[in-house]
Amino acid sequence: MISEKFLEHEIANLNVHLTQKKISLKEAMLSEKPHVQTKGGGKHFFKRDELDFLKEIVSDEDLDKLLLPITIMMQLKLGRGSARISGIIEANVIGKILGKPFSEGDILYRPEVVTIRAKLPTTTEYLFLP
Amino acid sequence: MAKIITVAPTRMELIKLRKRVALAQKGHDLLREKMDALILEFFNILNKINAHRSKSVEQLMNAHKALSKCLAVVGTVETIQAMRESKRESKVDVSTRFIMGVQVPIAEAKIERGILERGYSFYNTASAIDRATKEFELALLSLSELAELEAAAYELAHELDKTKRRVNALEFIIIPTIRKNLKFIVMRLDEMERENFTRLKRIKAILEERK
């Protein structure tokens, strides 16, 4: 018989890659080696060319409001492969990348998640929610 | 061969198993979601690897063409002399990123160098050597990017395999076993209730006969 501890451990470890504290795009641009600390204790580095790409699509006043990494919330209740984005500015950035109007509460579908992850592999992160 | 069910058919066990099946189902759904995301990432990286591999091969071909031209124009001895004098170290910054808990490397190479940084004398060497060197630097840059992607794909494939095993174990072994046990307990409890009901009816009938 399986132990509940194993399953609880698995569920708890699912989001261990999330960052302890996000940093703004401005902070990341100014940093020599832009990175954040993960909950698991590791360091997650951002690629400089992704930061440059984000700087191009974000207005100057939003540079210190856009927090990185952008969280893609995979919610089971939304259906398989569907996700939401947390943050208004973050949602606007995603909208600009997808080339369609997109706000915070809107649902991202699997092909869109693929597009986002292909363009921003280090500046986005997954969050798994039941 | 049919397996013998060893759970105690009690209400406490029933409650415990119901909680366990809910937890297992939640774990299964979340792990399956993670597996889907890992598959997306894996194929994303595979596509990038295919594109990068052909780019690297093309760049290496260009580099070798430039080297052949250099050998023909400058001469073998001079080319080998320049090669011996050149600096061989290149700076590659290796950092890490996380894809759903999987640590993958990021390699940022600074391989392109100026003429003065290459080490060989630019006074008595021809421009063909510079061109060949530049082409090889570009090839090295492309190869370092390819190495980063291949390492990421390897790590992701390993994690994908692990997650798939867990999802399959939950889906085909653990959850069905708990459900089977649950069904057994429910049936056994129903049976006991029916036995009890019949027993009471029988006792009532005996008592009425005695009156």
Side-chain angles (χ1 to χ4, degrees):
Chain A
M1 191 53 69
I2 52 140
S3 89
E4 277 106 72
K5 276 189 183 169
F6 164 73
L7 272 173
E8 279 162 7
H9 176 259
E10 278 296 312
I11 293 169
N13 272 359
L14 218 54
N15 289 320
V16 82
H17 58 280
L18 289 178
T19 51
Q20 285 179 7
K21 193 176 174 257
K22 292 186 176 189
I23 59 167
S24 69
L25 177 59
K26 197 176 179 181
E27 271 177 86
M29 293 292 295
L30 291 172
S31 168
E32 196 187 332
K33 282 188 173 181
H35 73 276
V36 282
Q37 199 84 23
T38 66
K39 281 182 183 169
K43 277 182 182 175
H44 176 88
F45 287 83
F46 300 127
K47 276 196 169 181
R48 186 66 65 182
D49 45 351
E50 274 178 54
L51 297 177
D52 293 337
F53 170 69
L54 282 173
K55 198 190 166 192
E56 277 173 28
I57 57 172
V58 173
S59 60
D60 287 346
E61 62 263 29
D62 287 343
L63 279 179
D64 51 353
K65 290 178 195 158
L66 176 68
L67 296 176
L68 299 175
I70 297 170
T71 307
I72 301 172
M73 297 188 290
M74 307 293 283
Q75 280 179 298
L76 286 180
K77 64 177 182 186
L78 296 178
R80 220 169 150 178
S82 306
R84 276 202 172 114
I85 299 293
S86 71
I88 300 163
I89 294 154
E90 285 81 356
N92 284 342
V93 168
I94 297 299
K96 278 179 189 166
I97 293 168
L98 294 174
K100 67 170 196 178
F102 190 83
S103 56
E104 201 185 354
D106 292 351
I107 297 172
L108 269 180
Y109 295 100
R110 197 187 297 224
E112 293 165 337
V113 175
V114 176
T115 312
I116 298 295
R117 286 290 297 170
K119 287 201 174 160
L120 305 172
T122 64
T123 47
T124 52
E125 65 181 359
Y126 284 106
L127 164 67
F128 297 98
L129 291 173
Chain B
M1 202 179 124
K3 274 188 180 175
I4 300 163
I5 295 170
T6 52
V7 289
T10 59
R11 291 212 179 271
M12 273 303 287
E13 197 65 30
L14 185 73
I15 293 164
K16 231 193 268 178
L17 281 182
R18 276 188 183 146
K19 271 187 194 165
R20 199 174 282 171
V21 81
L23 183 69
Q25 193 61 53
K26 187 181 159 192
H28 170 261
D29 292 347
L30 282 167
L31 282 173
R32 199 182 57 185
E33 195 76 15
K34 182 186 172 181
M35 193 177 82
D36 287 350
L38 277 170
I39 291 169
L40 291 183
E41 290 294 324
F42 184 68
F43 279 100
N44 215 339
I45 286 177
L46 274 193
N47 289 338
K48 280 186 188 170
I49 286 176
N50 287 338
H52 254 84
R53 193 168 283 165
S54 48
K55 198 179 127 192
S56 299
V57 169
E58 201 178 308
Q59 187 54 45
L60 277 169
M61 274 164 60
N62 288 343
H64 279 282
K65 263 185 211 165
L67 180 66
S68 304
K69 214 181 262 180
C70 177
L71 287 167
V73 173
V74 184
T76 315
V77 178
E78 285 82 359
T79 308
I80 291 172
Q81 184 61 37
M83 191 187 81
R84 280 187 183 143
E85 285 170 5
S86 67
K87 285 179 190 166
R88 287 171 196 195
E89 66 271 10
S90 311
K91 201 180 167 198
V92 182
D93 272 348
V94 180
S95 44
T96 52
R97 70 179 170 113
F98 284 85
I99 308 173
M100 285 163 280
V102 186
Q103 196 173 18
V104 296
I106 303 177
E108 281 178 309
K110 286 162 192 146
I111 290 164
E112 274 191 84
R113 299 173 292 187
I115 296 171
L116 292 172
E117 293 164 324
R118 285 177 184 154
Y120 58 81
S121 160
F122 70 95
Y123 174 66
N124 51 5
T125 51
S127 62
I129 292 181
D130 296 336
R131 269 198 294 276
T133 312
K134 193 167 187 204
E135 290 295 337
F136 271 103
E137 281 170 359
L138 288 174
L140 208 54
L141 188 71
S142 186
L143 285 173
S144 79
E145 283 168 6
L146 184 64
E148 176 198 319
L149 289 170
E150 287 198 350
Y154 178 80
E155 293 295 333
L156 278 179
H158 185 66
E159 182 68 19
L160 188 58
D161 186 43
K162 244 166 57 178
T163 313
K164 200 175 158 192
R165 271 169 206 248
R166 281 172 192 167
V167 171
N168 284 347
L170 281 166
E171 191 173 340
F172 297 111
I173 299 167
I174 296 163
I175 295 173
T177 310
I178 303 173
R179 290 230 162 97
K180 203 166 84 182
N181 288 347
L182 260 175
K183 197 178 165 191
F184 166 74
I185 294 176
V186 170
M187 278 171 62
R188 189 76 191 92
L189 287 175
D190 285 351
E191 185 63 28
M192 278 156 77
E193 206 177 305
R194 278 193 295 274
E195 276 174 15
N196 211 18
F197 182 72
T198 319
R199 198 180 297 121
L200 287 172
K201 284 277 252 185
R202 183 78 188 121
I203 291 166
K204 197 179 170 188
I206 291 168
L207 287 173
E208 275 174 6
E209 267 174 31
R210 279 185 191 167
K211 276 181 189 174

